Amino acid sequence: FVFNARQGTTDVALTFFILVASYSYLRSETEPRFWLLTGLACSLAVLTKGAAGIISPAIIVLSLVFDRRLKDIQLREFRTGVILFIAFTASWHLVLILLHGRTFVDEYFFRHVLQRSTADLHSYHYGPFFYLGVFWEFVWPWVLFAPVSIFAAFRRNESRILLILALFPLLLFSAATTKFQWYVVPVLPAYAILTALAIEDLYNWFESPLKAIAGLVVGAFVLTGWVEVVRYCKPDPQFEIIAEVSKKASKDRGAISTCPESLEMTVLYYSDRKLCADPVVSPLSVGSSTKCEASEIRDFIYLEQKAETVTSRFLIQPQLEEFGVVYARVTGSKDWIQ
């Protein structure tokens, strides 16, 4: 979670609003006015990441069913929360439709909702169990507690919404064809809480002197977990160089492109220039907002080992090279490869 939080992605903000909605849902059982915050948080989840934010109201609906709280629908505060959700969510979509018309509908609804669900837009061909491997990597070593955590959650009534939050997005995104590692970020805080509850239950179950042994085992897990955090969050020297090169590139004007695609967000952030994707050099990034004419690309930032790919399409003149990262001026383009 710390690693993903440092990337500045919308998935972390989405996770925040999902947690706010889940917390206010729990509070609404004794204080109905929290339904207003639930509706607002669910709306902000959708506005943060579009269709992916729908998992927030979906989690609330599932929790209402499993907690047998459907009578809450009759509450005035619940209906007000629903109105807030619809008003905030619909208003933004309506404004974008009025501003951009069919372009917004095609890009937002068809490409990023329907196509991502039914087609592999980036040709990675990940299987249905992709996120199990991601979860194992992201949550090591705490993933070893998974069976105990899930079992303990079933025994606690107040853990139902956490259990839904930990499992529902995992199953939903596994069913979608387009998959990325960071899609499971909203699962991580819920699983962390469930793991803590399971450890607490186990520790209370043990009698002395087994409590001391249990404490040592948990301590070993904490130490291993922190080692993983440090390993994941250690700055990447290559991307630090890319950031510096991108800052220097910001002094120039015109569109810029990268090779490989993994450099794009860093270059876009630090150079603040229009990002173009070439259909051959950057096939995974080509879309209605990134595809440009070859003549529009003025500069390239690429890794040295990708020079052959770039020169197969463009005539370039290197301007700067630092530790395998090249900033080059485009002096011409070769014939388009159909």
Side-chain angles (χ1 to χ4, degrees):
F1 183 83
V2 174
F3 170 78
N4 282 277
R6 294 187 65 195
Q7 307 308 303
T9 63
T10 53
D11 298 86
V12 176
L14 171 66
T15 301
F16 171 74
F17 290 123
I18 291 174
L19 291 175
V20 171
S22 302
Y23 170 78
S24 54
Y25 163 79
L26 292 171
R27 291 292 302 272
S28 69
E29 186 169 15
T30 56
E31 299 178 71
R33 61 193 175 92
F34 272 90
W35 274 119
L36 278 66
L37 180 58
T38 304
L40 181 61
C42 286
S43 175
L44 291 172
V46 175
L47 294 180
T48 298
K49 202 169 181 186
I54 294 294
I55 62 176
S56 184
I59 287 167
I60 300 302
V61 170
L62 288 172
S63 299
L64 278 172
V65 173
F66 284 105
D67 289 337
R68 299 178 182 178
R69 287 181 53 186
L70 291 177
K71 63 180 184 298
D72 282 31
I73 297 174
Q74 302 172 7
L75 295 174
R76 181 187 61 184
E77 291 85 355
F78 176 88
R79 293 196 293 269
T80 304
V82 172
I83 292 172
L84 282 174
F85 170 75
I86 295 173
F88 278 90
T89 305
S91 61
W92 181 83
H93 288 81
L94 179 61
V95 168
L96 268 291
I97 290 173
L98 291 174
L99 286 174
H100 303 288
R102 183 60 183 268
T103 303
F104 172 73
V105 174
D106 289 344
E107 185 73 15
Y108 182 82
F109 290 103
F110 289 100
R111 177 174 172 78
H112 289 290
V113 178
L114 294 178
Q115 289 186 18
R116 281 183 182 272
S117 301
T118 60
D120 190 351
L121 296 185
H122 300 279
S123 305
Y124 291 147
H125 306 299
Y126 295 134
F129 302 108
F130 168 72
Y131 287 117
L132 293 180
V134 173
F135 191 67
W136 181 277
E137 182 181 0
F138 276 8
V139 193
W140 179 263
W142 304 102
V143 67
L144 299 177
F145 269 101
V148 178
S149 301
I150 294 172
F151 175 76
F154 277 111
R155 295 180 62 248
R156 290 174 176 260
N157 291 334
E158 67 271 23
S159 296
R160 287 196 184 110
I161 191 170
L162 287 170
L163 192 59
I164 293 169
L165 178 52
L167 297 178
F168 176 69
L170 208 60
L171 297 174
L172 183 66
F173 290 132
S174 293
T177 307
T178 300
K179 295 178 173 67
F180 288 108
Q181 286 185 327
W182 52 86
Y183 282 3
V184 299
V185 168
V187 170
L188 303 181
Y191 184 72
I193 298 171
L194 290 176
T195 302
L197 291 171
I199 290 172
E200 182 185 31
D201 284 348
L202 277 175
Y203 189 75
N204 291 333
W205 182 69
F206 283 119
E207 299 290 340
S208 297
L210 292 178
K211 280 186 184 292
I213 298 174
L216 289 174
V217 172
V218 171
F221 270 78
V222 170
L223 181 60
T224 306
W226 274 110
V227 169
E228 288 295 295
V229 170
V230 171
R231 183 174 70 88
Y232 261 105
C233 297
K234 186 182 297 183
D236 187 325
Q238 188 174 66
F239 273 88
E240 289 186 326
I241 295 168
I242 293 166
E244 290 302 317
V245 172
S246 300
K247 290 177 185 177
K248 295 175 182 177
S250 66
K251 299 176 183 178
D252 296 324
R253 294 291 179 265
I256 191 168
S257 191
T258 72
C259 188
E261 294 92 336
S262 58
L263 312 186
E264 287 178 347
M265 292 299 101
T266 305
V267 171
L268 183 62
Y269 181 83
Y270 286 103
S271 72
D272 196 28
R273 293 171 61 179
K274 180 180 179 181
L275 184 71
C276 279
D278 179 78
V280 174
V281 177
S282 309
L284 301 181
S285 299
V286 174
S288 59
S289 60
T290 58
K291 186 176 180 180
C292 304
E293 295 295 330
S295 59
E296 191 175 350
I297 300 175
R298 296 287 304 277
D299 299 297
F300 253 97
I301 292 180
Y302 61 90
L303 299 183
E304 191 175 30
Q305 60 264 36
K306 294 290 184 178
E308 186 176 346
T309 303
V310 177
T311 55
S312 69
R313 295 282 284 166
F314 297 90
L315 301 174
I316 61 170
Q317 182 179 352
Q319 303 292 306
L320 177 68
E321 184 172 348
E322 294 186 11
F323 300 100
V325 179
V326 182
Y327 175 51
R329 180 68 38 80
V330 175
T331 58
S333 62
K334 299 182 179 180
D335 293 337
W336 284 82
I337 299 174
Q338 299 297 326

